[in-house]
Amino acid sequence: MRLYLINPSNPLVSIVKVKESRWNRYRVWKPLSLMVLAGLTPPSWEITIVDENLGVPDYPAMPRPDLVGITAFTSQANRAYEVAAQFRNMGVPVVMGGIHATMCRDEVMERVDSVVTGEAEGIWPQVLEDARHGNLKRRYDGGLAKVNDIPLARHDLLASGYAFGAIQTTRGCPLNCSFCSVTAFNGARYRQRPIPDVVREFQSIREKRVLVVDDNLIGTRPGHIARAKDMFRAMTQANLRKEWIAQATINFADDEELLTLAAKAGCRGVFIGFESPTPEGLLEVGKKFNLLNGRDFRASVRRIQRHNILVVGSFIIGLDIDEPGIGKRIAEVASHYGVDNLNVLFLTPLPGTRLWDQMTSQGRIALDTFPEDWKYYTLTFPVARYKHLSLNGIIKEMISCDRDFYSTSRILRRVWSNFWQHRKPLVTLVGNLSYRGNLRLACNAYADLKRYCGNRHNCVKQT
Ligand code: B12
Ligand code: SF4
């Protein structure tokens, strides 16, 4: 039995096109979901993983599979449906799973033979068995998996073409921020994989550099942090010789021992969601965790950096409290915090989130011709109607934020302080220039968006 597992591309996410710039190699990330599915698949199946971000193959010229499994974030849904149609026309059954299939099940069911909602671990062997007998059901639900017995992902199947390997050590997040799908999809309970499994899986990754995809690597409670410390100790003891980057909340900075152990285990960078420069903004998105009394973000960032760990800060533009000037404000605050890189995203109502429910009920979803418009749900396009910012206004804020934070003088200052603090001036320079280089691409994309909206009257306007 032959199985193709496919990660569809999104033509609007041009930065992932590896052939256009060699730096993009550092921005293409392995589709871990498909490697996990492959790990759950019995050996009687011959598996090929296709990541369209590395190039779209000529499917009809490939050997005919017995089953196709497609994964998709919401922003990949359009291409996922095209791929599904292509295989279904050849008479090959198609199963789709992942976050979009879970949040928009009915839409997906109309376009594929079978939909799997939730996490796959508990249900995928059953799906394969039904497919083998030509007896696929229309729907399966995997719910939340027990993370104690997840087989290792098949890291051997996507061996080349990427700068980073990928691994997951925990699932779920208790914080449930309004714009984020993680709590809705993976649950509020923080589930931690057994440390020996994590170490073994790390050992099976060939790349020197690894993305730890956990939404919050260290968790929020003392028990979570103790486990993170144990994991870092085990990683160091296993002498993995990996360098890895991860996502964490700002409490990462609060524990010197945790930072020391993380750095020793190979941590080289963290991505931290600051979300908004104001307490009102944090309250609006529900990220109360960042509001702890007396938190000095600048000192926190510096404490992390002292361990030679780079900090990428993430903010959102388009909150109800955001007014003209927010772009400059974010650039200033992020510079004051001292982050090494800044990633700013448009507030985007993703299906299944509290924000989606709120914006839908208020009639504020502007790009709502679905499924066609899903391709704009990359958080790099303003797809909603924002309270104090028009379409032109919010784009202007985003551009001014990027221009400010990535101005030549600010980049030089950042590189100089990295040099002065014996950190990573070169990595910071390359990272900053690469973000700055994207601005031109982003401006072209905004111009296309405006044309698209122009044809469709009443796109984004003030409410
Ligand atoms: C790593 C990651 C990335 C990587 C992607 C790597 C890759 N190619 O997969 C990068 C950095 C590139 C990325 C980009 C984006 N991401 Co992202 N990302 C994640 C993150 C943190 C982890 C994903 C992961 O690997 N999980 C581990 C695997 C094992 O879990 P999984 O993917 O859920 O797969 C399981 C099930 O879903 C299911 N399953 C999945 N696929 C299939 C297929 C079949 C056939 C079956 C049966 C089952 C199945 O089985 C798996 C095992 O249980 C998630 C958060 C999260 N917790 O999921 C956000 C997340 C998926 N990202 C999100 C978003 C919004 C984006 C972006 C649009 C915006 C952005 N800038 O972040 C872009 C998308 C760009 C594009 N191409 O269009 C949202 C998606 C929400 C949505 N409705 O789409 C998430 C949920 C985070 C959030 N804040 O809400 N992301
Ligand atoms: S944004 Fe981060 S902290 Fe908030 S719910 Fe999502 S994963 Fe958790």
Side-chain angles (χ1 to χ4, degrees):
M1 297 292 279
R2 185 176 290 129
L3 170 68
Y4 287 174
L5 295 173
I6 301 178
N7 183 37
S9 61
N10 178 346
L12 291 180
V13 185
S14 51
I15 58 161
V16 298
K17 289 179 188 146
V18 181
K19 284 177 192 136
E20 282 175 14
S21 157
R22 68 198 172 95
W23 293 115
N24 288 342
R25 190 161 167 261
Y26 291 91
R27 302 219 193 102
V28 192
W29 308 93
K30 288 193 173 182
L32 182 58
S33 53
L34 298 183
M35 291 149 73
V36 169
L37 279 189
L40 297 166
T41 304
S44 52
W45 289 80
E46 179 198 312
I47 310 166
T48 304
I49 298 185
V50 177
D51 181 0
E52 292 197 341
N53 289 322
L54 297 184
V56 177
D58 180 4
Y59 291 118
M62 291 167 69
R64 189 178 186 281
D66 299 291
L67 181 69
V68 167
I70 304 180
T71 189
F73 300 166
T74 291
S75 56
Q76 296 166 288
N78 306 98
R79 175 65 193 153
Y81 299 148
E82 282 173 22
V83 175
Q86 203 174 345
F87 279 103
R88 293 180 88 198
N89 286 340
M90 293 190 249
V92 177
V94 173
V95 184
M96 189 161 146
I99 184 111
H100 188 71
T102 304
M103 299 306 177
C104 298
R105 191 191 62 206
D106 294 343
E107 176 193 291
V108 175
M109 270 179 84
E110 284 172 26
R111 291 161 177 87
V112 299
D113 298 286
S114 181
V115 177
V116 178
T117 51
E119 298 176 353
E121 282 75 5
I123 200 72
W124 183 236
Q126 178 68 51
V127 177
L128 291 175
E129 211 32 42
D130 291 353
R132 180 193 290 282
H133 295 105
N135 196 17
L136 267 181
K137 299 187 182 56
R138 293 283 288 135
R139 287 172 48 177
Y140 296 87
D141 181 30
L144 297 180
K146 292 194 183 74
V147 292
N148 283 348
D149 50 8
I150 299 182
L152 303 195
R154 289 282 307 274
H155 294 277
D156 55 310
L157 287 177
L158 271 180
S160 61
Y162 302 85
F164 287 81
I167 193 169
Q168 186 174 43
T169 90
T170 61
R171 284 190 190 163
C173 179
L175 298 180
N176 199 14
C177 302
S178 66
F179 57 86
C180 175
S181 336
V182 170
T183 310
F185 183 70
N186 296 108
R189 200 162 65 81
Y190 189 61
R191 290 166 291 150
Q192 301 144 317
R193 288 179 70 192
I195 293 171
D197 285 6
V198 172
V199 171
R200 260 192 316 136
E201 187 157 334
F202 252 113
Q203 283 165 331
S204 73
I205 298 176
R206 293 184 202 172
E207 289 81 4
K208 164 116 182 111
R209 298 184 191 87
V210 179
L211 168 70
V212 182
V213 305
D214 301 27
D215 298 290
N216 185 351
L217 178 64
I218 55 161
T220 49
R221 303 213 183 117
H224 304 160
I225 301 208
R227 180 264 184 188
K229 286 182 183 173
D230 285 343
M231 185 171 76
F232 298 151
R233 284 190 195 101
M235 287 165 67
T236 308
Q237 220 162 32
N239 198 16
L240 296 173
R241 295 178 188 281
K242 302 284 186 202
E243 296 187 340
W244 48 270
I245 53 176
Q247 306 182 86
T249 28
I250 190 66
N251 59 324
F252 188 44
D254 298 346
D255 187 324
E256 272 300 320
E257 187 188 24
L258 180 73
L259 288 167
T260 307
L261 290 169
K264 239 174 139 182
C267 182
R268 297 291 175 265
V270 278
F271 186 98
I272 293 183
F274 294 97
E275 320 306 358
S276 169
T278 63
E280 295 77 21
L282 290 171
L283 272 179
E284 183 182 323
V285 297
K287 200 147 189 168
K288 300 189 195 102
F289 198 72
N290 282 14
L291 278 170
L292 283 188
N293 272 344
R295 158 84 58 203
D296 178 344
F297 285 103
R298 185 181 165 85
S300 300
V301 168
R302 188 68 198 103
R303 271 201 299 279
I304 299 172
Q305 290 170 334
R306 271 199 202 104
H307 292 265
N308 228 340
I309 297 171
L310 289 170
V311 178
V312 180
S314 176
F315 285 80
I316 299 173
I317 285 191
L319 306 182
D320 283 359
I321 59 138
D322 287 349
E323 295 190 354
I326 180 67
K328 246 184 162 31
R329 176 93 197 267
I330 290 177
E332 257 155 41
V333 165
S335 300
H336 170 70
Y337 290 174
V339 299
D340 298 290
N341 260 302
L342 171 66
N343 189 34
V344 186
L345 300 163
F346 291 109
L347 184 71
T348 302
L350 291 166
T353 61
R354 288 190 282 132
L355 182 67
W356 170 270
D357 293 342
Q358 181 206 333
M359 283 197 159
T360 312
S361 68
Q362 294 170 348
R364 290 174 59 186
I365 313 269
L367 291 188
D368 62 354
T369 309
F370 300 127
E372 290 76 17
D373 284 348
W374 288 132
K375 59 180 174 291
Y376 292 103
Y377 281 62
T378 55
L379 320 194
T380 54
F381 293 100
V383 299
R385 300 189 173 95
Y386 300 94
K387 199 145 196 183
H388 303 292
L389 298 163
S390 63
L391 173 63
N392 279 325
I394 194 163
I395 289 175
K396 224 170 99 194
E397 294 303 325
M398 181 63 90
I399 294 174
S400 101
C401 179
D402 281 342
R403 289 218 168 113
D404 237 54
F405 187 83
Y406 291 111
S407 67
T408 308
S409 60
R410 281 210 154 124
I411 291 182
L412 288 177
R413 225 175 299 158
R414 232 166 272 137
V415 172
W416 174 246
S417 76
N418 259 267
F419 179 75
W420 192 242
Q421 293 159 358
H422 304 288
R423 297 197 294 119
K424 297 185 173 115
L426 196 63
V427 178
T428 302
L429 179 66
V430 170
N432 275 239
L433 290 179
S434 142
Y435 268 87
R436 188 160 101 160
N438 276 336
L439 191 56
R440 190 180 42 82
L441 284 177
C443 286
N444 293 341
Y446 299 146
D448 288 346
L449 176 79
K450 282 189 212 167
R451 270 193 292 278
Y452 177 63
C453 289
N455 298 336
R456 299 186 41 209
H457 73 92
N458 186 26
C459 174
V460 181
K461 69 173 188 192
Q462 286 173 254
T463 51

